[in-house]
Amino acid sequence: AIDVNAIPLAAVERIEIVADGASALYGSDAVGGVANIILRKDYDGVSATARLGAATDGGDTQQQYSLVGGTAWNGGGLIATYDFERDTAITARQRSYTHYMPANSTLLPALKRHSAVLSLHHALTPDLTFSFDGLYNWRRSSTVLQVPGAARYTTEPTNQSFALAPSLTFEAGPSLSVTLSGVYGEDRSDTKQFTTTAAGAVSAYPYCYCNKVTSLEASAQGALFHLPAGAVRFAGGAGYRDNGYVNRSTSLPEPIDVHQDSYYGFGELYVPLVAPGQGVAAIHRLSLTAALRYENYPGVDDVLTPKLGAIYAPSPDIDVKASWGKSFKAATLYQQYQPQYAFLYDATTLGGAGYPAGATALFTNGGNPALKPERATSWSATLAAHPRAIPGLQLEASYFEIAYRDRVAQPFQGTDFYTALGAGTLEAFVDPYPSATLQSVLIAASPVPLYNYAGVAYEPEAVVAAVYNIFFNVARQKIRGVDLAARYEAELGSDDRLALSGSASWLQSRQRLDPSLPYTDLAGTIFNPPHWRGRAGATWTRGPLSASAFANYSGAVDDVRSSPAVRVGSQTTFDLALVYRPSPQGLIPGVGFALAVRNLLNDKPAYARPVADYYVNYDSTNQSAIGRFISVSLTKEW
């Protein structure tokens, strides 16, 4: 998984959002959008920041220290950042709504993190520039799951990662540049799991997920020719990427060590058809974009993804934008090569009925090397208004749809496990009365002996079904939504500005795992995004001082883990911030401060259906146990 916290905020210049399917440009995973984090290139001086914060209900005491240094010279520059953070845990004893849980159970894990970034660029010649980005991150956390009267499970993952990214850019002409870039990165997650029994016996289960990536890319961009509306521009390139994955575990007789390489080529074209000032009736501006990417995964599949876009402005006050494209997501090496384990259950545990007494079922779980890439088709339309009659006002409304097919999923997820042998379920993933030979194959595929939870000895003739819960290209998803945004900036005086902003989103997503079954809701159900989210607020600025207040809304969801569904209420929180930015003419030259309060009214998570006395009874995906959080930071620049 990508850890955005690995990049210190002090090293970030800006973040660019591509809000629709972009696999034609970026390749795998760019299905619903892309966030490009652009690092700062030029910084001259030194800046130090200290930040302290804590939750008022207890726990989550945070301390964070950042150091930024940089220099610029004729033809180049360098910036280096270092960031340290230490957060304490939130435990069940610190929240009133989790007092039913064992007191030491973790609601939010403790964290310790070091991260650093080095970025430099230098002009080797007037036309040739060398650039380099380096990133390092170290992170450790700890989580406790206590089962009352039974075992305590402690998980302590430690992650180390680094990436090195050099590049050479050659300005081949006034409107043509060529870049050769490479990346080498490693990510190592060492996890220790300890099980402490009620009698005090401790057993350890260490494992490591170790990843490597190597890539090389050549690209070019520039102008092809000129039309009356402007230059027709292009960008294109080709590259190679290799992903490596190693799984080391005491439960495996030998490590899993696999690689997947890919070769790709891409091209993008921008064509301006009408430009402002040409005097074309009913068309202030019109432009088209087109992109195409080909990616080949040897031994797996090859993928061709197009994208088309258009921007039409009938007047300077309105823009109409539309895009259509196809995207893909390659199966992860974890999904492909995770070990396949075999379990034995009583047939009634899996929802079986009408079987003789003592009937059992084999249940397999794990990876699938035969997985293919997930595919998606998406389109979006946006209406943006920025009326000249009301300077500073911006309005935007967008609608989007994404249709997924061949999504990688395990057929029997969550409570579906208990109905795997029930009537009308996923019969395509169940073999009734498997032969003894098939049973032996399934059991032999597991790196460890058969896990027997049936309560009786394994007898091949007693097995009435084999249930396959490995990863398959099985799911179809349909996602659609609306995004609304408004912003108004006003000058209140010679040095005063007020910015009002608001945004809201509506989301619907559904999934089915078999053509014979109906779609089921994802959005609006527990541990999935709610149908509605919103945020609105105001920021007042005078010189280096700014104050802001925002309200955040997260809609209600349904707890569908059992019938009947239970409604889990919405949550509304309020945030305040006061920031004084460092400036040479400030109260204390070069010194700034910030005071922030999140969840000012200390709104609690909404109650959901209880599952067990050692699990939280709220939607921990959408609502947080932190509560009111107050932080203070101090910055000094030289």
Side-chain angles (χ1 to χ4, degrees):
I2 300 301
D3 179 14
V4 178
N5 287 326
I7 303 174
L9 186 61
V12 177
E13 177 182 296
R14 67 187 189 278
I15 298 177
E16 298 176 345
I17 302 297
V18 181
D20 56 7
S23 281
L25 301 176
Y26 298 97
S28 178
D29 295 357
V31 177
V34 174
N36 285 321
I37 300 174
I38 312 299
L39 300 181
R40 299 167 74 170
K41 290 297 184 184
D42 291 310
Y43 183 85
D44 200 354
V46 176
S47 173
T49 299
R51 174 179 170 272
L52 300 176
T56 58
D57 283 345
D60 196 23
T61 299
Q62 299 182 8
Q63 48 182 316
Q64 186 174 359
Y65 308 98
S66 301
L67 187 64
V68 183
T71 185
W73 58 85
N74 185 23
L78 175 148
I79 180 173
T81 68
Y82 168 73
D83 196 78
F84 170 79
E85 180 179 356
R86 186 195 296 271
D87 306 339
T88 63
I90 296 178
T91 59
R93 67 165 63 89
Q94 295 171 314
R95 296 296 181 265
S96 60
Y97 45 87
T98 53
H99 278 175
Y100 65 92
M101 297 175 64
N104 63 336
S105 297
T106 301
L107 305 183
L108 184 75
L111 172 71
K112 184 178 180 180
R113 177 175 60 84
H114 300 267
S115 58
V117 167
L118 174 68
S119 181
L120 67 89
H121 62 100
H122 179 69
L124 303 176
T125 71
D127 300 323
L128 185 64
T129 300
F130 171 76
S131 300
F132 175 83
D133 292 330
L135 168 70
Y136 173 78
N137 185 59
W138 181 95
R139 183 185 71 248
R140 175 176 291 165
S141 60
S142 178
T143 301
V144 173
L145 172 64
Q146 176 73 62
V147 179
R152 181 176 73 250
Y153 303 94
T154 304
T155 304
E156 295 182 353
T158 299
N159 175 271
Q160 291 189 78
S161 62
F162 73 87
L164 309 173
S167 66
L168 281 171
T169 300
F170 177 61
E171 301 296 336
S175 60
L176 176 63
S177 65
V178 179
T179 299
L180 180 65
S181 60
V183 174
Y184 178 79
E186 293 187 10
D187 180 285
R188 179 185 177 97
S189 295
D190 288 287
T191 300
K192 297 178 182 178
Q193 286 187 332
F194 303 94
T195 301
T196 306
T197 66
V202 179
S203 58
Y205 174 51
Y207 58 90
C208 175
Y209 296 127
C210 306
N211 307 290
K212 292 183 180 181
V213 61
T214 305
S215 69
L216 184 66
E217 180 177 296
S219 61
Q221 60 178 328
L224 290 176
F225 54 87
H226 285 75
L227 296 174
V232 175
R233 300 187 59 83
F234 81 98
Y240 167 80
R241 179 184 179 99
D242 178 73
N243 289 327
Y245 167 73
V246 177
N247 180 355
R248 294 189 178 95
S249 170
T250 53
S251 67
L252 300 175
E254 59 183 26
I256 298 172
D257 188 348
V258 292
H259 285 257
Q260 178 64 63
D261 54 355
S262 65
Y263 303 84
Y264 60 88
F266 62 92
E268 181 184 14
L269 201 61
Y270 167 75
V271 182
L273 298 179
V274 178
Q278 285 187 279
V280 178
I283 304 179
H284 176 68
R285 182 163 61 98
L286 177 63
S287 62
L288 304 177
T289 59
L292 189 68
R293 184 183 183 99
Y294 171 78
E295 195 133 3
N296 179 26
Y297 292 84
V300 177
D301 206 348
D302 53 4
V303 183
L304 187 67
T305 50
K307 182 179 180 180
L308 300 173
I311 299 178
Y312 164 59
S315 76
D317 301 324
I318 296 177
D319 293 329
V320 180
K321 311 171 187 179
S323 71
W324 171 91
K326 292 183 177 292
S327 297
F328 74 100
K329 183 181 184 300
T332 67
L333 294 175
Y334 174 85
Q335 292 170 333
Q336 292 175 275
Y337 296 102
Q338 179 188 2
Q340 291 188 13
Y341 295 100
F343 305 82
L344 187 70
Y345 292 100
D346 186 283
T348 58
T349 301
L350 303 183
Y355 294 112
T360 59
L362 277 175
F363 188 90
T364 63
N365 196 52
N368 182 359
L371 290 174
K372 301 296 183 181
E374 301 175 356
R375 309 294 183 108
T377 300
S378 62
W379 69 271
S380 65
T382 299
L383 177 65
H386 31 82
R388 290 166 292 171
I390 311 177
L393 178 63
Q394 300 179 42
L395 303 172
E396 189 169 284
S398 299
Y399 176 82
F400 66 89
E401 286 191 2
I402 303 173
Y404 264 113
R405 69 182 189 277
D406 298 332
R407 290 224 71 176
V408 175
Q410 293 173 286
F412 304 100
Q413 306 172 45
T415 56
D416 295 338
F417 168 85
Y418 299 103
T419 60
L421 297 182
T425 59
L426 299 171
E427 298 177 355
F429 303 98
V430 177
D431 268 339
Y433 299 100
S435 66
T437 301
L438 176 58
Q439 294 179 44
S440 64
V441 170
L442 297 177
I443 295 172
S446 174
V448 297
L450 175 70
Y451 290 100
N452 190 340
Y453 297 113
V456 297
Y458 166 63
E459 296 290 345
E461 59 273 14
V463 175
V464 297
V467 181
Y468 304 105
N469 198 43
I470 64 175
F471 287 101
F472 291 99
N473 291 105
V474 62
R476 284 182 173 263
Q477 286 184 1
K478 293 182 177 180
I479 305 168
R480 60 192 180 113
V482 175
D483 292 323
L484 304 173
R487 182 175 179 84
Y488 177 68
E489 292 190 12
E491 297 280 356
L492 302 182
S494 60
D495 201 28
D496 286 2
R497 294 183 64 84
L498 178 65
L500 305 176
S501 62
S503 62
S505 63
W506 172 81
L507 180 71
Q508 182 188 69
S509 59
R510 300 182 300 157
Q511 173 176 281
R512 70 177 182 185
L513 298 178
D514 189 89
S516 64
L517 299 179
Y519 279 94
T520 58
D521 288 331
L522 292 177
T525 63
I526 193 167
F527 306 127
N528 288 291
H531 287 302
W532 283 99
R533 287 187 185 274
R535 178 174 168 85
T539 300
W540 168 79
T541 303
R542 171 180 285 182
L545 180 66
S546 66
S548 62
F550 281 86
N552 314 283
Y553 173 79
S554 180
V557 297
D558 292 326
D559 186 349
V560 293
R561 289 174 291 179
S562 60
S563 184
V566 172
R567 192 70 167 169
V568 182
S570 62
Q571 185 175 46
T572 301
T573 61
F574 299 90
D575 302 335
L576 300 177
L578 181 67
V579 178
Y580 186 86
R581 293 174 177 82
S583 68
Q585 296 79 31
L587 298 174
I588 304 176
V591 174
F593 68 87
L595 170 67
V597 183
R598 297 203 308 264
N599 195 355
L600 175 67
L601 303 181
N602 202 23
D603 193 59
K604 305 293 193 294
Y607 182 78
R609 173 184 282 117
V611 176
D613 53 7
Y614 49 90
Y615 283 137
V616 297
N617 58 8
Y618 59 90
D619 184 348
S620 56
T621 298
N622 296 300
Q623 301 187 14
S624 169
I626 296 175
R628 183 191 297 113
F629 184 89
I630 302 175
S631 65
V632 179
S633 63
L634 185 68
T635 299
K636 169 61 177 171
E637 292 183 349
W638 294 269

